[in-house]
Amino acid sequence: MTKMTTKTMTECDRNRYAGMIKDYVAEHVGALLKEPHDFIRYPFIDPGSVYDGNVWDWDTYWSVYGLFGMMDTFPEEIREKILVHARGNVENFMDHQLEDGYIPMMIEVGEWPEPYLNGKHKEGVLMNMHKPFLCQQMCLISEFQGDFGWTEPYLEGLKRYFECYYRNYYMEDKGLFVWCDDIMIGMDNDPASFGRPKFSTANIYLNSFMVMEMQAYAKLLQSFGDMETAGEWERKAKGLVQVIQEECWDKRDRFFYSVDVDIRTRTFDWFHQGLGVFWKTLPIKIRVWSGFIPMYAGFATKEQAEELVRHYHDETTFHCDYGIATLAKDEKMFNLEATNNPSNWLGPVWLVANYVVFKAMLRYGYRAEAEEICENSLKLLGRDLEKTGCMHEYYDPYTGEPVMNGGFINWNLLAVNMVDDLEKAGAEV
């Protein structure tokens, strides 16, 4: 049964905060829409704040997602420009794809002739590659504009993109994808990956979003009539889901964890000659917000969703007055310090985490929880705008005070999407 939540905001305040966020974005959207420069050859969208002038992988996806949800706010000229820059995000990444299929996570201009990550990759230093949001962004744009045709020149590149993932980041004997290391993994200092040995973590974030990336690739292939290959990728996605369920769902804690894949029988002389290691992985039992992503992706079972909702309501772990803590509050790594490179995901509230959990709740019919996250997100950003005149990158889960990086817009836009998503869900009932 859904636990009913207490309304914390009047309809007037909700509309006022949503309006403030929309007005702020409308005033500053032009600063996000960057023109080509140096070896970034296509228009693009950046997150704002300290990330000005760089093209990022999942950041651009969520920026586009949020801007598309606000398109009615903008004049026609800006709407057309947003579409051009959205496609430019993809075009820039494909423009810097290497021969072996590698695509960098970020394209930045510095004192080098190409993206830094590409240069290191060419030197033989294996780096993490574009997070699994490339096909998702292509589908997001194509569905919004009602045309997939612009993606056709990239189909061969997408094939090589997945081949590179399977060749370098997939552990066939485990059936899961792994990060190379903790560099630019999105959730920079996620303890399940941060500081751990290379290729040792099959992160629930990576694998859950990879399921969605495979499904998006299948959709792209279907749009061009390649139903056979699309079917193969749909089956791959289902196969990955099965392994995630087997290896990442913890039956005792009722939560999805990242897992350690550096598991094998380590022989020494005549020791370890008997029963060896027969389990594929070990759970990394750190409760991170990414444990909710299988629910967002739609492959959590109804029973698993019920348990995840219970975790959401737990005041000692994830629940807070401003959304969701990105790391359970009772974990020993919980920390709210201001830090960049890595950014801090050890508990602060990030709007992208709020949105993913919001959509997860809405998808499985937990509307009261979704409404609460929406209102808490609007309150968080609205009060920040009132006090500081801008929005920030992440926030204190206890006080709602901004931690750092004023002027950050990016996925903060998603607070407005929540309002529209709730309205649409209400209309569908």
Side-chain angles (χ1 to χ4, degrees), residues 161-352:
Y161 158 76
F162 279 105
E163 288 173 348
C164 189
Y165 250 115
Y166 272 96
R167 183 170 58 251
N168 294 323
Y169 311 96
Y170 180 70
M171 303 196 80
E172 188 171 1
D173 58 332
K174 315 293 184 181
L176 293 166
F177 290 88
V178 297
W179 292 125
C180 167
D181 50 34
D182 57 32
I183 304 299
M184 299 187 192
I185 59 175
M187 300 160 51
D188 290 5
N189 57 3
D190 172 5
S193 295
F194 190 61
R196 300 196 72 246
K198 284 178 175 286
F199 299 106
S200 64
T201 300
N203 199 289
I204 188 64
Y205 165 108
L206 172 62
N207 285 277
S208 297
F209 282 127
M210 184 61 79
V211 169
M212 300 183 74
E213 184 77 340
M214 290 176 175
Q215 292 169 338
Y217 184 41
K219 187 178 294 185
L220 288 167
L221 293 167
Q222 288 170 358
S223 72
F224 295 103
D226 190 352
M227 309 308 288
E228 181 178 353
T229 310
E232 292 175 5
W233 283 95
E234 287 175 342
R235 288 189 290 275
K236 285 179 184 288
K238 290 178 181 177
L240 181 54
V241 165
Q242 182 177 344
V243 178
I244 293 172
Q245 289 285 9
E246 293 171 353
E247 301 297 326
C248 302
W249 175 253
D250 190 82
K251 296 178 181 178
R252 183 175 64 193
D253 296 351
R254 304 290 182 179
F255 196 72
F256 282 101
Y257 289 121
S258 298
V259 295
D260 186 349
V261 295
D262 189 14
I263 306 297
R264 62 185 184 276
T265 302
R266 303 173 195 272
T267 58
F268 176 73
D269 197 13
W270 53 272
F271 293 98
H272 296 169
Q273 297 300 312
L275 179 64
V277 174
F278 59 86
W279 47 94
K280 292 182 179 180
T281 68
L282 281 178
I284 303 173
K285 291 202 169 188
I286 303 169
R287 285 163 297 173
V288 184
W289 76 272
S290 50
F292 293 91
I293 299 176
M295 195 174 167
Y296 169 80
F299 63 78
T301 66
K302 180 181 177 182
E303 292 73 24
Q304 288 169 339
E306 290 175 357
E307 296 295 338
L308 291 170
V309 172
R310 180 177 61 80
H311 282 284
Y312 162 75
H313 282 295
D314 190 342
E315 299 283 350
T316 67
T317 57
F318 291 109
H319 192 274
C320 68
D321 289 339
Y322 301 96
I324 185 168
T326 46
L327 180 70
K329 290 177 276 188
D330 60 356
E331 295 284 0
K332 71 177 183 179
M333 295 76 66
F334 184 82
N335 182 290
L336 303 177
E337 292 182 33
T339 173
N340 245 7
N341 192 24
S343 297
N344 191 357
W345 294 78
L346 298 176
V349 173
W350 289 72
L351 257 292
V352 66

Side-chain angles (χ1 to χ4, degrees), residues 19-215:
M20 288 173 60
I21 297 168
K22 282 185 176 182
D23 290 345
Y24 179 82
V25 173
E27 182 180 351
H28 293 87
V29 66
L32 303 181
L33 305 177
K34 295 296 194 297
E35 297 304 321
H37 63 101
D38 297 288
F39 54 72
I40 302 177
R41 300 196 304 139
Y42 299 93
F44 63 98
I45 300 173
D46 73 21
S49 189
V50 298
Y51 306 102
D52 183 76
N54 299 328
V55 193
W56 296 80
D57 48 13
W58 78 315
D59 301 71
T60 62
Y61 171 81
W62 289 116
S63 288
V64 170
Y65 192 113
L67 288 170
F68 282 179
M70 289 183 56
M71 283 297 235
D72 291 344
T73 305
F74 308 120
E76 180 64 28
E77 179 184 357
I78 295 297
R79 292 200 294 269
E80 292 178 359
K81 193 171 184 180
I82 288 171
L83 269 172
V84 169
H85 285 245
R87 291 190 295 267
N89 293 332
V90 173
E91 290 164 344
N92 278 308
F93 282 115
M94 299 308 294
D95 188 40
H96 288 288
Q97 183 175 35
L98 299 181
E99 192 63 32
D100 67 352
Y102 179 84
I103 300 175
M105 299 174 121
M106 176 188 70
I107 303 171
E108 81 304 336
V109 173
E111 297 178 2
W112 37 78
E114 62 182 343
Y116 171 81
L117 294 178
N118 277 14
K120 300 302 290 184
H121 188 80
K122 287 179 178 179
E123 292 173 10
V125 179
L126 195 55
M127 310 286 288
N128 290 319
M129 68 180 287
H130 194 294
K131 291 183 280 296
F133 286 87
L134 184 59
C135 296
Q136 290 191 73
Q137 185 161 184
M138 288 182 175
C139 283
L140 176 66
I141 297 166
S142 299
E143 289 172 344
F144 182 86
Q145 66 182 18
D147 174 31
F148 281 78
W150 69 283
T151 66
E152 187 171 16
Y154 305 121
L155 293 181
E156 179 58 34
L158 291 178
K159 178 182 177 183
R160 291 188 288 115
Y161 158 76
F162 279 105
E163 288 173 348
C164 189
Y165 250 115
Y166 272 96
R167 183 170 58 251
N168 294 323
Y169 311 96
Y170 180 70
M171 303 196 80
E172 188 171 1
D173 58 332
K174 315 293 184 181
L176 293 166
F177 290 88
V178 297
W179 292 125
C180 167
D181 50 34
D182 57 32
I183 304 299
M184 299 187 192
I185 59 175
M187 300 160 51
D188 290 5
N189 57 3
D190 172 5
S193 295
F194 190 61
R196 300 196 72 246
K198 284 178 175 286
F199 299 106
S200 64
T201 300
N203 199 289
I204 188 64
Y205 165 108
L206 172 62
N207 285 277
S208 297
F209 282 127
M210 184 61 79
V211 169
M212 300 183 74
E213 184 77 340
M214 290 176 175
Q215 292 169 338

